Amino acid sequence: MTAAPPVSVVVPTRDRPELLRGAVRAALDQAHAGAVEVVVVYDQSEPDASLVELSRPGRPVRVIRNERTPGLAGARNSGALAAEGELIAFCDDDDEWLPGKLAAQVAALAAAPEAELVSCGIRVSYDGHTVDRVLGKDRITLADLLRDRMTELHPSTFLIRASALRDGFGLVDEEIPGSYAEDYEFLLRAARSAPLVNLPTPYALVRWHRRSYFAQRWDTISTALQWLLDRYPEFTTQPAGEARVTGQIAFARAACGHRREAVRWARRTIRRNFREPRAYLALAVAGRVVRADAVLRTLHRRGRGI
């Protein structure tokens, strides 16, 4: 009988001590016959060495610093390179795995030796509302991801073969402007290598928080999405997918007050797919019919984003 593979859970953190402990405990509580180590990576903050006291037999907790690029991508990569497990999982410090996640995903990878990454559904918590988001597909291709961002594929659900991270499709990209959409780029690159496995069950609680999207943030979003379009010319083969991204750019330009640019990107979006709602939302924001933050609040209550 094949031994259960050791798993490393990488948890990047910054200034969320209570939520962090919940994330660590939820990972340690997972049913898995093999070893499970939790690698907590402190990014731009002082490490809390007392977390190692949460360790249990076969469930060590390690605390390290992010020694790479400051930010989420560098922290995840620091943890992945320090991890000792055959399989590596990501979990954000404000999220929690639900019972059964790890066992189900390890089994799914064992049943698909050609696969390199398995994801699952999420339970989104925002402003007192909880919404389950799951995909009905058990295999996700690059074409699927170009057509649709599939936000159900959240980083806190990823379980990845360590060999794929280190010698295959690679680590999280640390060069994306503002580290915006680095998880989406990571999925696109992974799907270029092999179709992703997906479990249509919400096995992770994902907390969305109110954010202040000031002008500089919207500029970063716009720049990062344009970088993504340049990096993945395959978007031109999927008009609806390309329109989704250009519609997001249009909305971002409108949100930070660049009305002419917002209109230009909205027109480009409509030419690619006249049914893309982000184009019309961008025009509404540019025309001051509605505020960008009001649109986001409404979407987030439904477990969705722009």
Side-chain angles (χ1 to χ4, degrees):
M1 183 176 180
T2 304
V7 176
S8 296
V9 186
V10 175
V11 185
T13 190
R14 184 180 180 185
D15 303 327
R16 284 176 173 156
E18 295 304 320
L19 289 173
L20 169 64
R21 285 179 176 264
V24 171
R25 289 191 182 100
L28 296 173
D29 287 343
Q30 292 290 310
H32 178 59
V36 178
E37 70 164 353
V38 177
V39 183
V40 179
V41 186
Y42 276 82
D43 176 52
Q44 305 172 73
S45 57
E46 192 63 27
D48 178 4
S50 71
L51 283 172
V52 300
E53 297 171 5
L54 298 176
S55 300
R56 310 169 192 173
R59 298 283 194 273
V61 176
R62 297 165 56 200
V63 176
I64 67 172
R65 293 178 183 268
N66 176 16
E67 302 291 349
R68 296 173 65 90
T69 306
L72 187 56
R76 283 189 179 136
N77 290 341
S78 289
L81 292 172
E84 298 178 354
E86 180 181 332
L87 304 177
I88 296 176
F90 293 158
C91 186
D92 290 348
D93 62 356
D94 55 342
D95 298 335
E96 291 184 22
W97 290 356
L98 301 177
K101 174 192 183 290
L102 190 55
Q105 290 190 309
V106 170
L109 273 183
E114 75 287 355
E116 297 172 328
L117 184 153
V118 58
S119 185
C120 64
I122 56 176
R123 180 163 295 160
V124 178
S125 175
Y126 174 77
D127 198 24
H129 300 267
T130 301
V131 180
D132 284 354
R133 297 284 309 279
V134 299
L135 293 174
K137 299 171 67 70
D138 60 7
R139 291 291 186 278
I140 310 295
T141 66
L142 176 59
D144 291 329
L145 279 166
L146 291 168
R147 284 191 295 268
D148 189 338
R149 165 59 184 89
M150 297 184 175
T151 53
E152 296 86 353
L153 304 179
H154 189 279
S156 290
T157 73
F158 297 173
L159 180 68
I160 314 148
R161 299 192 193 278
S163 58
L165 279 175
R166 295 167 184 160
D167 303 308
F169 61 79
L171 298 166
V172 183
D173 196 304
E174 298 177 27
E175 302 301 321
I176 299 176
S179 289
Y180 181 78
E182 86 287 341
D183 50 344
Y184 183 37
E185 192 281 330
F186 183 81
L187 285 170
L188 289 169
R189 191 156 25 93
R192 268 178 173 173
S193 178
L196 316 178
V197 174
N198 177 64
L199 303 178
T201 304
Y203 278 128
L205 174 66
V206 173
R207 295 183 177 92
W208 286 4
H209 306 281
R210 289 181 179 270
R211 296 180 180 176
S212 176
Y213 283 88
F214 48 89
Q216 185 178 353
R217 172 68 171 166
W218 285 117
D219 277 335
T220 298
I221 290 171
S222 173
T223 301
L225 290 174
Q226 291 176 64
W227 178 95
L228 191 70
L229 287 177
D230 290 340
R231 177 65 66 93
Y232 288 87
E234 296 99 324
F235 273 110
T236 61
T237 69
Q238 301 291 338
E242 184 180 9
R244 173 178 50 81
V245 178
T246 58
Q248 290 174 313
I249 295 170
F251 188 91
R253 302 316 287 157
C256 61
H258 298 294
R259 300 177 67 186
R260 288 188 178 180
E261 291 184 37
V263 170
R264 178 169 59 85
W265 280 101
R267 286 175 175 168
R268 174 175 169 178
T269 299
I270 292 168
R271 285 196 297 269
R272 294 298 280 164
N273 179 19
F274 70 91
R275 294 187 177 89
E276 176 50 62
R278 293 170 181 83
Y280 305 103
L281 288 172
L283 292 173
V285 172
R288 299 176 182 171
V289 176
V290 65
R291 289 174 56 89
D293 57 353
V295 174
L296 288 181
R297 282 198 301 270
T298 300
L299 291 172
H300 286 176
R301 288 192 189 101
R302 300 174 184 176
R304 299 186 178 276
I306 194 64

